[in-house]
Amino acid sequence: MPRASATDPRFAEIESHRPYLVRYALAQLRDGELAEEAVQEALVAALESIDGFDKRSTLRTWLTSILRFKVIDLQRRLVADRARTQYDEATVGAEHEAWLDEMFDDTGHWRSPPQAWNDPEAALEQSRFWEVFERCLGRLSSTGGRVFFKREVLGEETDVICRDEGITQSNCWVMLHRARIALRMCLEQSWFGTEAPRGR
Amino acid sequence: MAADEPEDLNCRNASRLLSLACERPLNAEELRALKHHLDECLMCTNFEQQLNFLHKASRVFRTG
């Protein structure tokens, strides 16, 4: 993928927000290639108009506002495709139960019990934690990751997410539940597990 | 999404309720069963705290 003028010293700073912006675009567009396209266009536009950036907002907020317009453009192309996404209620439910069978034993106990995390607040201050967080988000299934991102990161209401995704409320809940379990497990394995005391 | 075993939740059902509580208020029966379970289960108590953390971290992630 072509990158905007990489010699610009502000390039690296803008570029560092790319993973977040891709997630944002993905949450809206539901298409990896389109999301990358929207972000690429937004970053190029940002570099071209960086002088117009006033420090009253954070760089991320400013970049997101540019991206939002790119996303709206691309969404127009997607309108015709919206109705094609259909999830079968029973299939999702059965698949979810099968996944939970791997998380819990026959008596319903955690196979990988959640540990007490040591000072999670401190992690929020560490840039390495956010790399891990980003990576763990990326490991979620595409639909689950998108639903989780809309719900928890963007703070959208669950019924709005269900409607936009074309899925039932109970499937929405199921996907969020699964995403939360998967994310907490990933963070425990990749971050907290290495230093947290083993509370059990 | 009612619990299968209202009197005696296992971790599978308790965690489901904890996640559900992020989406809608639990009813009295769900709350009672959940509290009963959490009183005795450190693992699910850890899970509850982790859900709170995921919520907070996601919001921080948004604002960068």
Side-chain angles (χ1 to χ4, degrees):
Chain A
M1 177 183 298
R3 291 284 198 262
S5 48
T7 50
D8 191 306
R10 291 165 299 200
F11 174 83
E13 194 184 350
I14 286 180
E15 188 67 19
S16 72
H17 293 280
R18 179 185 285 270
Y20 172 85
L21 296 171
V22 169
R23 283 246 145 218
Y24 177 93
L26 205 50
Q28 314 294 328
L29 292 166
R30 300 196 277 164
D31 182 293
E33 281 185 24
L34 279 179
E36 293 282 355
E37 188 179 335
V39 169
Q40 186 61 24
E41 287 181 10
L43 293 184
V44 170
L47 269 177
E48 286 169 352
S49 59
I50 186 80
D51 294 334
F53 167 57
D54 68 44
K55 306 279 177 172
R56 280 179 301 178
S57 61
T58 66
L59 183 59
R60 175 171 290 185
T61 305
W62 182 67
L63 292 171
T64 306
S65 68
I66 295 173
L67 177 59
R68 190 174 295 129
F69 285 109
K70 301 294 179 189
V71 165
I72 289 169
D73 282 347
L74 287 169
Q75 268 172 338
R76 296 199 178 112
R77 296 187 215 164
L78 282 179
V79 169
D81 298 335
R82 280 270 151 154
R84 99 194 118 100
T85 311
Q86 285 298 334
Y87 293 89
D88 181 336
E89 172 96 36
T91 306
V92 172
E95 202 256 340
H96 178 63
E97 291 305 320
W99 185 81
L100 285 178
D101 285 343
E102 293 176 23
M103 296 296 117
F104 298 92
D105 65 21
D106 292 342
T107 60
H109 287 95
W110 296 94
R111 288 188 199 274
S112 176
Q115 308 293 317
W117 288 356
N118 183 30
D119 199 5
E121 295 289 318
L124 300 176
E125 307 296 325
Q126 299 183 50
S127 59
R128 268 187 52 246
F129 169 76
W130 293 110
E131 291 169 20
V132 170
F133 189 81
E134 179 69 44
R135 199 161 61 238
C136 286
L137 272 181
R139 282 190 198 161
L140 300 176
S141 71
S142 63
T143 310
R146 205 167 54 234
V147 170
F148 180 88
F149 190 88
K150 286 183 174 182
R151 179 73 184 118
E152 298 284 18
V153 178
L154 300 181
E156 290 181 12
E157 293 301 324
T158 312
D159 53 355
V160 173
I161 299 170
C162 301
R163 193 195 59 211
D164 289 353
E165 292 283 328
I167 58 182
T168 64
Q169 190 172 57
S170 93
N171 275 350
C172 221
W173 288 343
V174 153
M175 286 176 181
L176 285 165
H177 181 45
R178 176 168 169 170
R180 290 182 179 118
I181 290 180
L183 193 52
R184 76 124 220 112
M185 197 156 68
C186 182
L187 289 178
E188 190 162 288
Q189 286 167 352
S190 312
W191 183 265
F192 293 105
T194 55
E195 54 186 12
R198 298 282 148 184
R200 202 176 157 160
Chain B
M1 199 182 290
D4 297 321
E5 305 159 271
E7 273 309 310
D8 199 11
L9 282 185
N10 60 28
C11 296
R12 182 167 174 153
N13 289 328
S15 65
R16 197 196 302 260
L17 283 181
L18 284 168
S19 195
L20 190 57
C22 303
E23 312 310 328
R24 67 154 171 83
L26 299 183
N27 65 37
E29 175 59 21
E30 289 166 337
L31 277 175
R32 194 199 57 75
L34 184 57
K35 185 170 185 315
H36 185 254
H37 180 84
L38 290 178
D39 281 345
E40 298 180 351
C41 182
L42 183 56
M43 297 175 281
C44 286
T45 303
N46 288 339
F47 181 65
E48 180 183 32
Q49 290 174 356
Q50 291 169 10
L51 288 186
N52 292 335
F53 176 77
L54 289 181
H55 180 72
K56 178 169 185 181
S58 297
R59 296 307 168 93
V60 175
F61 181 60
R62 178 188 187 178
T63 53

